[in-house]
Amino acid sequence: MNPAPPGNGRTLVAGVGNIFLGDDGFGVETVRALAGHQLPEHVEVVDIGVRGVHLAYQLLDGYDTLILVDATARGGDPGTVYLIEAGTAGGIEPEGAVLDGHHMSPDAVLALLDTLCAGTGATPPRRTLVVGCEPASVEEGIGLSPEVAAAVPEAVRCVLDLVRQSTHEAPAHSAAARPAGT
């Protein structure tokens, strides 16, 4: 199978996180909520959970844009939704591929993807965005805290805004690490 060329307009929205660690399940819960919405046909939504290696390999199929949805501790109030663009000041930066399939953070997935692309000749997504939410607790337990559960609809709106925009223009409210509601 030949990967799709860059600039193809395809978007992958990936919910990541561990539903057994409280608010770490934010990404998974958000993509579940997205399932009830009509999305453009060039958009694929997947529940990756803790399978970061699977995500890296899926990206080899060729996507222009990757939107990761994840719990993202950045020091704000619990439930704060962030829009972060990888590769910008304050964004996420790949630090090195750590091959632990159950503990791969977004930066580790991006580092693994860079390694895989270098080895296969594939092209990574042109743009990577993270819709993140400040967790209240990532302790063992199932279910989101009230603050993070209340943030899921805002995150869904943020993702819908992103995927409905042209793949050739930046989101109007895009910033390196600004709360999405501002």
Side-chain angles (χ1 to χ4, degrees), residues 6-76:
N8 59 22
R10 291 179 65 206
T11 298
L12 179 66
V13 179
V16 297
N18 187 336
I19 62 169
F20 298 110
L21 294 177
D23 290 339
D24 194 46
F26 169 77
V28 173
E29 291 301 322
T30 300
V31 297
R32 284 183 188 166
L34 276 168
H37 294 270
Q38 179 93 17
L39 296 170
E41 68 180 46
H42 69 278
V43 176
E44 183 178 348
V45 178
V46 294
D47 171 357
I48 292 296
V50 296
R51 299 178 324 272
V53 172
H54 177 78
L55 173 60
Y57 278 102
Q58 182 165 352
L59 287 168
L60 291 177
D61 287 342
Y63 293 90
D64 194 54
T65 302
L66 168 63
I67 301 172
L68 291 171
V69 185
D70 196 8
T72 308
R74 298 185 72 84

Side-chain angles (χ1 to χ4, degrees), residues 1-6 56-63 113-125:
M1 167 167 54
N2 291 329
Y57 278 102
Q58 182 165 352
L59 287 168
L60 291 177
D61 287 342
Y63 293 90
L113 177 63
D114 285 345
T115 301
L116 293 171
C117 285
T120 63
T123 303

Side-chain angles (χ1 to χ4, degrees), residues 27-177:
V28 173
E29 291 301 322
T30 300
V31 297
R32 284 183 188 166
L34 276 168
H37 294 270
Q38 179 93 17
L39 296 170
E41 68 180 46
H42 69 278
V43 176
E44 183 178 348
V45 178
V46 294
D47 171 357
I48 292 296
V50 296
R51 299 178 324 272
V53 172
H54 177 78
L55 173 60
Y57 278 102
Q58 182 165 352
L59 287 168
L60 291 177
D61 287 342
Y63 293 90
D64 194 54
T65 302
L66 168 63
I67 301 172
L68 291 171
V69 185
D70 196 8
T72 308
R74 298 185 72 84
D77 293 331
T80 301
V81 175
Y82 303 106
L83 175 59
I84 305 161
E85 184 153 356
T88 60
I92 58 173
E93 293 294 334
E95 294 180 6
V98 178
L99 290 178
D100 179 352
H102 294 287
H103 296 98
M104 288 190 71
S105 62
D107 59 336
V109 169
L110 296 176
L112 175 59
L113 177 63
D114 285 345
T115 301
L116 293 171
C117 285
T120 63
T123 303
R126 178 183 60 82
R127 189 164 191 220
T128 299
L129 302 162
V130 177
V131 174
C133 181
E134 188 74 38
S137 173
V138 291
E139 300 296 319
E140 284 187 23
I142 297 175
L144 302 178
S145 67
E147 301 92 340
V148 172
V152 169
E154 180 182 352
V156 167
R157 282 190 301 277
C158 184
V159 170
L160 291 173
D161 287 347
L162 291 169
V163 300
R164 289 182 178 144
Q165 292 176 10
S166 166
T167 58
H168 299 291
E169 62 185 62
H173 59 282
S174 176

